[in-house]
């Protein structure tokens, strides 16, 4: 049988053992209250020693400061969302007031550019009624671009790697990142064949970075699709 002394030498107590003991013995400091005042810890705010109670107070202050920061971020995000919703409402209202279907594509592009500060906006629509077949917005989309749009289940965001749709913009060479949004009939999220595609572009590589949320872009696409459906 191994002697307890030999066992302690071969398996010394570790910090984890101490932490486990204190975590499972909540009345330890009740029996040894003097330790609360005697234990000295290093303060993260200087090279001085502080008591356990003072260190706990510092930790609480840090947690409160972190919670306050999170609350401010939530309020800021809430205000940003309200402003964004107001812009969407103004943009949608302008589309509803439009009485000239042939002017809608240009109006959609210009309103997105001004309301949401997007440097370049372009779009193409296909399968339009004969009355609109000669309009600029109905020209220049290849079968590959049409197939790509129909394959987009959700908006694409990322770097410009030579997408054909970039050529629909006023300054294609100035595009670094872009968002491609399919225009289609039916409820949002359904993979119906696209009848057009909307392009938002920027010279900032982070403006439409891969991995960003696309809920807002999807709403823009859904509203634009509803407005442009009258061209078909």
């Amino acid at each position: 049988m191994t002697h307890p002394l030999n066992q302690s030498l071969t398996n010394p107590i570790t910090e984890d053992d101490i932490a486990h003991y204190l975590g499972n013995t909540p009345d330890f400091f009740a029996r040894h209250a003097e330790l609360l005042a005697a234990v000295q810890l290093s303060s993260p705010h200087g090279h001085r020693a502080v008591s356990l109670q003072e260190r706990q107070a510092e930790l609480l202050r840090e947690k409160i400061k972190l919670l306050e920061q999170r609350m401010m971020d939530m309020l800021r995000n809430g205000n940003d969302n309200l402003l964004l919703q107001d812009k969407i409402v103004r943009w949608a209202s302008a589309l509803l007031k439009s009485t000239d279907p042939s002017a809608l594509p240009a109006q959609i592009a210009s309103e997105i550019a001004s309301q949401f500060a997007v440097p370049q906006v372009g779009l193409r629509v296909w399968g339009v009624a004969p009355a609109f077949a000669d309009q600029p917005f109905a020209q220049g989309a290849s079968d590959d671009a049409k197939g790509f749009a129909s394959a987009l289940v959700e908006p694409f965001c990322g770097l410009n790697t030579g997408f054909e749709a970039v050529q629909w913009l006023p300054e294609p060479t100035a595009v670094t990142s872009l968002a491609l949004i399919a225009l289609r009939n039916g409820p949002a999220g359904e993979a119906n064949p696209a009848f057009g595609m909307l392009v938002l572009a920027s010279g900032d590589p982070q403006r439409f970075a891969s991995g960003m949320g696309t809920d807002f872009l999807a709403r823009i696409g859904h509203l634009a699709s509803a407005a442009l459906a009258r061209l078909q």
Side-chain angles (χ1 to χ4, degrees), residues 13-28:
I13 296 175
T14 66
E15 290 184 356
D16 289 340
D17 294 329
I18 297 172
H20 180 75
Y21 173 78
L22 292 176
N24 288 277
T25 315
D27 58 342
F28 174 82

Side-chain angles (χ1 to χ4, degrees), residues 10-183:
T10 56
N11 298 292
I13 296 175
T14 66
E15 290 184 356
D16 289 340
D17 294 329
I18 297 172
H20 180 75
Y21 173 78
L22 292 176
N24 288 277
T25 315
D27 58 342
F28 174 82
F29 285 107
R31 299 195 306 271
H32 302 278
E34 70 281 357
L35 287 176
L36 293 175
V39 172
Q40 296 289 304
L41 304 174
S42 297
S43 172
H45 305 295
H47 299 290
R48 63 189 183 90
V50 297
S51 67
L52 182 60
Q53 295 98 321
E54 187 175 352
R55 180 67 183 114
Q56 287 177 320
E58 289 179 349
L59 289 174
L60 286 174
R61 284 193 292 270
E62 291 171 359
K63 289 182 179 179
I64 291 172
K65 185 177 180 180
L66 180 60
L67 290 173
E68 289 176 343
Q69 183 62 47
R70 289 179 178 174
M71 184 176 294
M72 291 302 297
D73 289 342
M74 290 175 63
L75 291 173
R76 190 178 301 109
N77 290 336
N79 289 334
D80 290 344
N81 288 336
L82 286 175
L83 291 174
L84 189 58
Q85 289 177 12
D86 287 343
K87 291 179 179 180
I88 291 177
V89 169
R90 287 197 296 270
W91 177 67
S93 297
L95 299 185
L96 290 172
K97 293 176 182 177
S98 178
T99 57
D100 182 3
S102 64
L104 265 176
Q107 183 180 4
I108 286 173
S110 63
E111 288 288 336
I112 289 177
S114 61
Q115 291 286 354
F116 308 110
V118 179
Q120 295 195 68
V121 183
L123 64 83
R124 289 292 185 273
V125 183
W126 44 87
V128 298
F132 309 110
D134 294 330
Q135 293 289 336
F137 57 76
Q139 314 300 319
S142 69
D143 289 340
D144 287 342
K146 296 175 183 178
F148 178 82
S150 290
L152 283 178
V153 179
E154 60 184 24
F156 167 87
C157 294
L159 296 176
N160 176 24
T161 57
F163 291 99
E164 175 188 323
V166 173
Q167 300 305 315
W168 306 344
L169 300 168
E171 298 181 54
T173 58
V175 176
T176 303
S177 67
L178 76 167
L180 301 174
I181 309 168
L183 304 174

